Amino acid sequence: PCAWKTDPAALLRDKQFLAQLQECLSKLPGRLGAIFQMRELDQCSCEDVCDTLGITPTNLYASLHRARFR
Protein backbone atom coordinates (compact mmCIF):
# COMPACT_ATOMS: atom_id res chain seq x y z
CA PRO A 1 0.00 0.00 0.00
CA CYS A 2 1.07 3.56 -0.55
CA ALA A 3 2.26 5.66 2.36
CA TRP A 4 -0.07 8.19 4.00
CA LYS A 5 0.58 11.66 2.65
CA THR A 6 -0.49 13.17 5.93
CA ASP A 7 -0.80 11.88 9.43
CA PRO A 8 -4.33 10.49 10.03
CA ALA A 9 -4.28 11.87 13.59
CA ALA A 10 -3.46 15.33 12.22
CA LEU A 11 -6.39 15.10 9.83
CA LEU A 12 -8.70 14.25 12.70
CA ARG A 13 -7.38 17.18 14.75
CA ASP A 14 -7.91 19.47 11.77
CA LYS A 15 -11.52 18.29 11.39
CA GLN A 16 -12.12 18.78 15.11
CA PHE A 17 -10.53 22.23 14.97
CA LEU A 18 -12.64 23.27 11.99
CA ALA A 19 -15.80 22.02 13.70
CA GLN A 20 -14.94 24.01 16.82
CA LEU A 21 -14.11 27.09 14.74
CA GLN A 22 -17.46 26.87 12.94
CA GLU A 23 -19.24 26.57 16.27
CA CYS A 24 -17.46 29.66 17.59
CA LEU A 25 -18.22 31.62 14.42
CA SER A 26 -21.88 30.70 14.64
CA LYS A 27 -22.05 32.28 18.10
CA LEU A 28 -20.75 35.65 16.90
CA PRO A 29 -23.34 38.25 15.96
CA GLY A 30 -23.80 38.35 12.17
CA ARG A 31 -21.66 41.34 11.36
CA LEU A 32 -18.79 40.36 13.67
CA GLY A 33 -18.78 36.86 12.21
CA ALA A 34 -18.73 38.20 8.66
CA ILE A 35 -15.91 40.63 9.44
CA PHE A 36 -13.81 38.00 11.19
CA GLN A 37 -14.35 35.43 8.45
CA MET A 38 -13.54 37.82 5.62
CA ARG A 39 -10.40 39.18 7.23
CA GLU A 40 -8.95 36.16 9.04
CA LEU A 41 -10.22 33.12 7.15
CA ASP A 42 -10.75 34.43 3.62
CA GLN A 43 -7.72 36.74 4.01
CA CYS A 44 -9.41 39.69 2.34
CA SER A 45 -7.57 42.97 2.56
CA CYS A 46 -8.77 45.58 5.04
CA GLU A 47 -9.82 47.79 2.14
CA ASP A 48 -11.90 45.01 0.59
CA VAL A 49 -13.66 44.25 3.88
CA CYS A 50 -14.41 47.93 4.47
CA ASP A 51 -15.67 48.45 0.92
CA THR A 52 -17.79 45.29 0.92
CA LEU A 53 -19.41 45.94 4.29
CA GLY A 54 -19.47 49.75 4.10
CA ILE A 55 -17.48 50.29 7.30
CA THR A 56 -14.53 52.46 8.23
CA PRO A 57 -11.07 51.06 9.00
CA THR A 58 -11.49 52.13 12.62
CA ASN A 59 -14.74 50.18 12.85
CA LEU A 60 -13.07 47.18 11.20
CA TYR A 61 -10.26 47.05 13.74
CA ALA A 62 -12.63 47.52 16.67
CA SER A 63 -14.89 44.76 15.33
CA LEU A 64 -11.94 42.40 14.85
CA HIS A 65 -10.87 43.06 18.42
CA ARG A 66 -14.36 42.30 19.70
CA ALA A 67 -14.62 39.12 17.62
CA ARG A 68 -11.24 37.83 18.81
CA PHE A 69 -12.13 38.62 22.41
CA ARG A 70 -15.39 36.66 22.17
Side-chain angles (χ1 to χ4, degrees), residues 54-69:
I55 59 176
T56 65
T58 302
N59 187 258
L60 170 66
Y61 296 122
S63 296
L64 285 171
H65 174 75
R66 290 182 190 118
R68 290 177 185 132
F69 184 73

Side-chain angles (χ1 to χ4, degrees), residues 4-55:
W4 285 90
K5 293 184 185 215
T6 57
D7 177 25
L11 288 174
L12 179 60
R13 284 191 303 274
D14 288 347
K15 285 183 181 182
Q16 290 171 339
F17 170 76
L18 291 174
Q20 186 65 45
L21 178 62
Q22 286 298 338
E23 183 179 337
C24 291
L25 281 174
S26 71
K27 292 180 181 180
L28 288 174
R31 192 145 190 128
L32 282 183
I35 290 170
F36 183 84
Q37 182 163 351
M38 287 180 72
R39 183 69 181 120
E40 300 298 336
L41 303 178
D42 300 339
Q43 297 182 342
C44 295
S45 69
C46 293
E47 294 82 18
D48 287 343
V49 176
C50 290
D51 290 344
T52 301
L53 298 176
I55 59 176

